[in-house]
PDB file of all heavy atoms in Angstrom:
ATOM      1  N   LYS L  66      22.907 -11.285   0.120  1.00 96.00           N
ATOM      2  CA  LYS L  66      21.487 -11.619  -0.002  1.00 96.00           C
ATOM      3  C   LYS L  66      20.673 -10.425   0.053  1.00 96.00           C
ATOM      4  O   LYS L  66      19.680 -10.209  -0.707  1.00 96.00           O
ATOM      5  CB  LYS L  66      21.101 -12.593   1.175  1.00 96.00           C
ATOM      6  CG  LYS L  66      19.642 -13.017   1.074  1.00 96.00           C
ATOM      7  CD  LYS L  66      19.273 -14.018   2.148  1.00 96.00           C
ATOM      8  CE  LYS L  66      17.750 -14.411   2.075  1.00 96.00           C
ATOM      9  NZ  LYS L  66      17.463 -15.421   3.113  1.00 96.00           N
ATOM     10  N   LYS L  83       6.673 -10.646 -13.306  1.00 93.00           N
ATOM     11  CA  LYS L  83       6.819 -11.560 -14.364  1.00 93.00           C
ATOM     12  C   LYS L  83       7.834 -11.166 -15.342  1.00 93.00           C
ATOM     13  O   LYS L  83       8.606 -11.977 -15.934  1.00 93.00           O
ATOM     14  CB  LYS L  83       5.421 -11.751 -15.064  1.00 93.00           C
ATOM     15  CG  LYS L  83       5.527 -12.711 -16.245  1.00 93.00           C
ATOM     16  CD  LYS L  83       5.820 -14.106 -15.917  1.00 93.00           C
ATOM     17  CE  LYS L  83       5.689 -15.065 -17.180  1.00 93.00           C
ATOM     18  NZ  LYS L  83       6.086 -16.440 -16.838  1.00 93.00           N
ATOM     19  N   MET L  87      15.650 -13.789 -13.623  1.00 97.00           N
ATOM     20  CA  MET L  87      16.815 -13.976 -12.771  1.00 97.00           C
ATOM     21  C   MET L  87      18.102 -13.544 -13.548  1.00 97.00           C
ATOM     22  O   MET L  87      19.024 -12.996 -13.002  1.00 97.00           O
ATOM     23  CB  MET L  87      17.019 -15.464 -12.374  1.00 97.00           C
ATOM     24  CG  MET L  87      15.817 -15.943 -11.571  1.00 97.00           C
ATOM     25  SD  MET L  87      15.652 -15.129  -9.975  1.00 97.00           S
ATOM     26  CE  MET L  87      16.249 -16.424  -8.848  1.00 97.00           C
ATOM     27  N   ASP L  89      18.165 -11.093 -15.702  1.00 97.00           N
ATOM     28  CA  ASP L  89      18.142  -9.562 -15.654  1.00 97.00           C
ATOM     29  C   ASP L  89      18.709  -9.065 -14.313  1.00 97.00           C
ATOM     30  O   ASP L  89      19.495  -8.161 -14.302  1.00 97.00           O
ATOM     31  CB  ASP L  89      16.717  -9.052 -15.700  1.00 97.00           C
ATOM     32  CG  ASP L  89      16.047  -9.336 -17.089  1.00 97.00           C
ATOM     33  OD1 ASP L  89      16.779  -9.360 -18.063  1.00 97.00           O
ATOM     34  OD2 ASP L  89      14.739  -9.493 -17.081  1.00 97.00           O
ATOM     35  N   ILE L  90      18.356  -9.707 -13.206  1.00 97.00           N
ATOM     36  CA  ILE L  90      18.900  -9.316 -11.934  1.00 97.00           C
ATOM     37  C   ILE L  90      20.412  -9.562 -11.878  1.00 97.00           C
ATOM     38  O   ILE L  90      21.129  -8.685 -11.385  1.00 97.00           O
ATOM     39  CB  ILE L  90      18.134 -10.121 -10.824  1.00 97.00           C
ATOM     40  CG1 ILE L  90      16.654  -9.828 -10.816  1.00 97.00           C
ATOM     41  CG2 ILE L  90      18.774  -9.763  -9.489  1.00 97.00           C
ATOM     42  CD1 ILE L  90      15.863 -10.760  -9.930  1.00 97.00           C
ATOM     43  N   THR L 109      10.447 -17.765  -7.278  1.00 97.00           N
ATOM     44  CA  THR L 109       9.268 -17.579  -6.359  1.00 97.00           C
ATOM     45  C   THR L 109       9.721 -17.227  -4.983  1.00 97.00           C
ATOM     46  O   THR L 109       9.145 -16.376  -4.340  1.00 97.00           O
ATOM     47  CB  THR L 109       8.426 -18.884  -6.350  1.00 97.00           C
ATOM     48  OG1 THR L 109       7.930 -19.142  -7.671  1.00 97.00           O
ATOM     49  CG2 THR L 109       7.205 -18.706  -5.407  1.00 97.00           C
ATOM     50  N   CYS L 115      11.143 -10.464  -1.424  1.00 97.00           N
ATOM     51  CA  CYS L 115      11.053  -9.091  -1.911  1.00 97.00           C
ATOM     52  C   CYS L 115       9.742  -8.413  -1.420  1.00 97.00           C
ATOM     53  O   CYS L 115       9.672  -7.306  -0.973  1.00 97.00           O
ATOM     54  CB  CYS L 115      11.131  -8.905  -3.363  1.00 97.00           C
ATOM     55  SG  CYS L 115      12.806  -9.288  -4.013  1.00 97.00           S
ATOM     56  N   SER L 118       9.800  -7.882   2.240  1.00 95.00           N
ATOM     57  CA  SER L 118      10.633  -6.689   2.526  1.00 95.00           C
ATOM     58  C   SER L 118       9.882  -5.412   2.279  1.00 95.00           C
ATOM     59  O   SER L 118       9.993  -4.435   3.068  1.00 95.00           O
ATOM     60  CB  SER L 118      11.904  -6.726   1.693  1.00 95.00           C
ATOM     61  OG  SER L 118      12.716  -5.579   1.857  1.00 95.00           O
ATOM     62  N   ILE L 130       4.484   6.847  11.743  1.00 95.00           N
ATOM     63  CA  ILE L 130       3.538   7.897  11.576  1.00 95.00           C
ATOM     64  C   ILE L 130       2.513   7.871  12.647  1.00 95.00           C
ATOM     65  O   ILE L 130       2.137   8.938  13.180  1.00 95.00           O
ATOM     66  CB  ILE L 130       2.871   7.834  10.128  1.00 95.00           C
ATOM     67  CG1 ILE L 130       3.888   8.040   9.006  1.00 95.00           C
ATOM     68  CG2 ILE L 130       1.695   8.772  10.042  1.00 95.00           C
ATOM     69  CD1 ILE L 130       3.345   7.768   7.630  1.00 95.00           C
ATOM     70  N   GLU L 139      -5.499  13.674   9.609  1.00 94.00           N
ATOM     71  CA  GLU L 139      -4.112  13.978   9.206  1.00 94.00           C
ATOM     72  C   GLU L 139      -3.301  12.721   9.064  1.00 94.00           C
ATOM     73  O   GLU L 139      -2.525  12.515   8.140  1.00 94.00           O
ATOM     74  CB  GLU L 139      -3.498  14.970  10.135  1.00 94.00           C
ATOM     75  CG  GLU L 139      -1.987  15.348   9.671  1.00 94.00           C
ATOM     76  CD  GLU L 139      -1.383  16.288  10.606  1.00 94.00           C
ATOM     77  OE1 GLU L 139      -1.998  16.573  11.742  1.00 94.00           O
ATOM     78  OE2 GLU L 139      -0.266  16.682  10.342  1.00 94.00           O
ATOM     79  N   LEU L 141      -4.263   9.654   8.252  1.00 95.00           N
ATOM     80  CA  LEU L 141      -4.521   8.899   7.012  1.00 95.00           C
ATOM     81  C   LEU L 141      -3.864   9.592   5.776  1.00 95.00           C
ATOM     82  O   LEU L 141      -3.388   8.914   4.830  1.00 95.00           O
ATOM     83  CB  LEU L 141      -6.023   8.800   6.770  1.00 95.00           C
ATOM     84  CG  LEU L 141      -6.715   7.856   7.731  1.00 95.00           C
ATOM     85  CD1 LEU L 141      -8.223   7.721   7.332  1.00 95.00           C
ATOM     86  CD2 LEU L 141      -6.131   6.427   7.624  1.00 95.00           C
ATOM     87  N   LYS L 146       0.517   9.597   1.756  1.00 90.00           N
ATOM     88  CA  LYS L 146       1.685  10.208   1.109  1.00 90.00           C
ATOM     89  C   LYS L 146       2.953   9.354   1.237  1.00 90.00           C
ATOM     90  O   LYS L 146       3.717   9.228   0.299  1.00 90.00           O
ATOM     91  CB  LYS L 146       1.975  11.662   1.711  1.00 90.00           C
ATOM     92  CG  LYS L 146       0.955  12.666   1.265  1.00 90.00           C
ATOM     93  CD  LYS L 146       1.463  14.045   1.663  1.00 90.00           C
ATOM     94  CE  LYS L 146       1.472  14.269   3.127  1.00 90.00           C
ATOM     95  NZ  LYS L 146       1.845  15.671   3.487  1.00 90.00           N
ATOM     96  N   THR L 159       2.615  -4.153 -11.903  1.00 86.00           N
ATOM     97  CA  THR L 159       3.250  -4.931 -10.815  1.00 86.00           C
ATOM     98  C   THR L 159       2.199  -5.747  -9.981  1.00 86.00           C
ATOM     99  O   THR L 159       2.373  -6.998  -9.790  1.00 86.00           O
ATOM    100  CB  THR L 159       3.972  -3.933  -9.944  1.00 86.00           C
ATOM    101  OG1 THR L 159       4.968  -3.316 -10.646  1.00 86.00           O
ATOM    102  CG2 THR L 159       4.655  -4.773  -8.842  1.00 86.00           C
ATOM    103  N   TYR L 166       0.696 -14.392 -11.599  1.00 95.00           N
ATOM    104  CA  TYR L 166       1.734 -15.375 -11.739  1.00 95.00           C
ATOM    105  C   TYR L 166       2.377 -15.928 -10.419  1.00 95.00           C
ATOM    106  O   TYR L 166       2.968 -16.967 -10.465  1.00 95.00           O
ATOM    107  CB  TYR L 166       2.928 -14.755 -12.582  1.00 95.00           C
ATOM    108  CG  TYR L 166       2.440 -14.327 -13.994  1.00 95.00           C
ATOM    109  CD1 TYR L 166       2.294 -13.018 -14.306  1.00 95.00           C
ATOM    110  CD2 TYR L 166       2.268 -15.278 -14.922  1.00 95.00           C
ATOM    111  CE1 TYR L 166       1.894 -12.628 -15.576  1.00 95.00           C
ATOM    112  CE2 TYR L 166       1.812 -14.933 -16.246  1.00 95.00           C
ATOM    113  CZ  TYR L 166       1.651 -13.628 -16.504  1.00 95.00           C
ATOM    114  OH  TYR L 166       1.251 -13.248 -17.729  1.00 95.00           O
ATOM    115  N   VAL L 170       2.085 -16.374  -3.242  1.00 96.00           N
ATOM    116  CA  VAL L 170       2.768 -15.252  -2.618  1.00 96.00           C
ATOM    117  C   VAL L 170       1.753 -14.059  -2.375  1.00 96.00           C
ATOM    118  O   VAL L 170       1.786 -13.443  -1.358  1.00 96.00           O
ATOM    119  CB  VAL L 170       3.977 -14.771  -3.463  1.00 96.00           C
ATOM    120  CG1 VAL L 170       4.621 -13.533  -2.848  1.00 96.00           C
ATOM    121  CG2 VAL L 170       4.919 -15.916  -3.592  1.00 96.00           C
ATOM    122  N   CYS L 185      -4.468  -1.100  12.351  1.00 95.00           N
ATOM    123  CA  CYS L 185      -4.104   0.323  12.189  1.00 95.00           C
ATOM    124  C   CYS L 185      -5.416   1.064  11.962  1.00 95.00           C
ATOM    125  O   CYS L 185      -5.685   2.142  12.535  1.00 95.00           O
ATOM    126  CB  CYS L 185      -3.173   0.404  10.980  1.00 95.00           C
ATOM    127  SG  CYS L 185      -2.801   2.211  10.699  1.00 95.00           S
ATOM    128  N   GLY L 193     -10.634   8.706  16.096  1.00 98.00           N
ATOM    129  CA  GLY L 193     -11.547   9.690  15.463  1.00 98.00           C
ATOM    130  C   GLY L 193     -12.846   9.837  16.127  1.00 98.00           C
ATOM    131  O   GLY L 193     -13.310  10.959  16.330  1.00 98.00           O
ATOM    132  N   LEU L 207     -16.618  -3.226  10.862  1.00 98.00           N
ATOM    133  CA  LEU L 207     -17.219  -3.274   9.468  1.00 98.00           C
ATOM    134  C   LEU L 207     -16.632  -2.209   8.583  1.00 98.00           C
ATOM    135  O   LEU L 207     -16.195  -2.468   7.430  1.00 98.00           O
ATOM    136  CB  LEU L 207     -18.744  -3.057   9.524  1.00 98.00           C
ATOM    137  CG  LEU L 207     -19.498  -3.182   8.232  1.00 98.00           C
ATOM    138  CD1 LEU L 207     -19.357  -4.553   7.530  1.00 98.00           C
ATOM    139  CD2 LEU L 207     -20.976  -2.857   8.412  1.00 98.00           C
ATOM    140  N   GLY L 215     -11.703  -1.664  -0.270  1.00 95.00           N
ATOM    141  CA  GLY L 215     -11.595  -0.528  -1.189  1.00 95.00           C
ATOM    142  C   GLY L 215     -10.149  -0.305  -1.612  1.00 95.00           C
ATOM    143  O   GLY L 215      -9.898  -0.109  -2.821  1.00 95.00           O
ATOM    144  N   LYS L 220      -7.014  -1.211  -7.078  1.00 87.00           N
ATOM    145  CA  LYS L 220      -5.842  -1.649  -7.823  1.00 87.00           C
ATOM    146  C   LYS L 220      -6.193  -2.503  -8.967  1.00 87.00           C
ATOM    147  O   LYS L 220      -5.408  -2.856  -9.820  1.00 87.00           O
ATOM    148  CB  LYS L 220      -4.855  -2.426  -6.919  1.00 87.00           C
ATOM    149  CG  LYS L 220      -4.351  -1.478  -5.767  1.00 87.00           C
ATOM    150  CD  LYS L 220      -3.438  -2.336  -4.829  1.00 87.00           C
ATOM    151  CE  LYS L 220      -2.897  -1.442  -3.683  1.00 87.00           C
ATOM    152  NZ  LYS L 220      -2.022  -2.264  -2.773  1.00 87.00           N
ATOM    153  N   GLU L 241     -10.648  10.387   0.198  1.00 94.00           N
ATOM    154  CA  GLU L 241     -11.706  11.433   0.440  1.00 94.00           C
ATOM    155  C   GLU L 241     -13.038  10.681   0.586  1.00 94.00           C
ATOM    156  O   GLU L 241     -13.898  11.085   1.463  1.00 94.00           O
ATOM    157  CB  GLU L 241     -11.653  12.441  -0.664  1.00 94.00           C
ATOM    158  CG  GLU L 241     -10.467  13.337  -0.666  1.00 94.00           C
ATOM    159  CD  GLU L 241     -10.528  14.416  -1.703  1.00 94.00           C
ATOM    160  OE1 GLU L 241     -11.642  14.791  -2.059  1.00 94.00           O
ATOM    161  OE2 GLU L 241      -9.461  14.879  -2.189  1.00 94.00           O
ATOM    162  N   HIS L 243     -13.747   7.700   1.515  1.00 97.00           N
ATOM    163  CA  HIS L 243     -13.810   6.972   2.833  1.00 97.00           C
ATOM    164  C   HIS L 243     -14.129   7.928   3.963  1.00 97.00           C
ATOM    165  O   HIS L 243     -15.028   7.674   4.772  1.00 97.00           O
ATOM    166  CB  HIS L 243     -12.487   6.250   3.006  1.00 97.00           C
ATOM    167  CG  HIS L 243     -12.273   5.787   4.423  1.00 97.00           C
ATOM    168  ND1 HIS L 243     -13.014   4.774   5.012  1.00 97.00           N
ATOM    169  CD2 HIS L 243     -11.458   6.193   5.391  1.00 97.00           C
ATOM    170  CE1 HIS L 243     -12.592   4.593   6.207  1.00 97.00           C
ATOM    171  NE2 HIS L 243     -11.697   5.455   6.491  1.00 97.00           N
ATOM    172  N   ARG L 245     -15.285  11.080   3.888  1.00 96.00           N
ATOM    173  CA  ARG L 245     -16.590  11.825   3.845  1.00 96.00           C
ATOM    174  C   ARG L 245     -17.725  10.998   4.350  1.00 96.00           C
ATOM    175  O   ARG L 245     -18.722  11.546   4.806  1.00 96.00           O
ATOM    176  CB  ARG L 245     -16.786  12.259   2.388  1.00 96.00           C
ATOM    177  CG  ARG L 245     -15.927  13.437   1.927  1.00 96.00           C
ATOM    178  CD  ARG L 245     -16.306  13.882   0.514  1.00 96.00           C
ATOM    179  NE  ARG L 245     -15.321  14.894  -0.009  1.00 96.00           N
ATOM    180  CZ  ARG L 245     -15.408  16.149   0.297  1.00 96.00           C
ATOM    181  NH1 ARG L 245     -16.367  16.604   1.108  1.00 96.00           N
ATOM    182  NH2 ARG L 245     -14.535  17.010  -0.184  1.00 96.00           N
ATOM    183  N   LYS L 261      -7.408  20.957   0.922  1.00 82.00           N
ATOM    184  CA  LYS L 261      -6.872  22.201   0.335  1.00 82.00           C
ATOM    185  C   LYS L 261      -5.347  22.223   0.535  1.00 82.00           C
ATOM    186  O   LYS L 261      -4.673  22.562  -0.461  1.00 82.00           O
ATOM    187  CB  LYS L 261      -7.566  23.430   1.090  1.00 82.00           C
ATOM    188  CG  LYS L 261      -8.985  23.657   0.719  1.00 82.00           C
ATOM    189  CD  LYS L 261      -9.550  24.804   1.582  1.00 82.00           C
ATOM    190  CE  LYS L 261     -11.035  24.978   1.296  1.00 82.00           C
ATOM    191  NZ  LYS L 261     -11.602  26.047   2.137  1.00 82.00           N
ATOM    192  N   GLU L 267       0.840  19.967  -3.960  1.00 52.00           N
ATOM    193  CA  GLU L 267       1.151  19.081  -5.132  1.00 52.00           C
ATOM    194  C   GLU L 267       1.750  19.861  -6.280  1.00 52.00           C
ATOM    195  O   GLU L 267       1.553  21.018  -6.468  1.00 52.00           O
ATOM    196  CB  GLU L 267      -0.162  18.351  -5.564  1.00 52.00           C
ATOM    197  CG  GLU L 267      -0.634  17.340  -4.526  1.00 52.00           C
ATOM    198  CD  GLU L 267      -1.970  16.678  -4.981  1.00 52.00           C
ATOM    199  OE1 GLU L 267      -2.495  17.089  -5.984  1.00 52.00           O
ATOM    200  OE2 GLU L 267      -2.286  15.629  -4.350  1.00 52.00           O
TER     201      GLU L 267
END
Side-chain angles (χ1 to χ4, degrees):
K66 182 178 181 178
K83 175 66 174 179
M87 298 294 254
D89 293 331
I90 298 168
T109 299
C115 290
S118 176
I130 291 172
E139 180 181 5
L141 287 183
K146 286 194 293 185
T159 299
Y166 298 106
V170 175
C185 179
L207 182 62
K220 296 176 182 178
E241 290 183 27
H243 166 70
R245 287 182 186 279
K261 291 177 182 177
E267 290 181 349

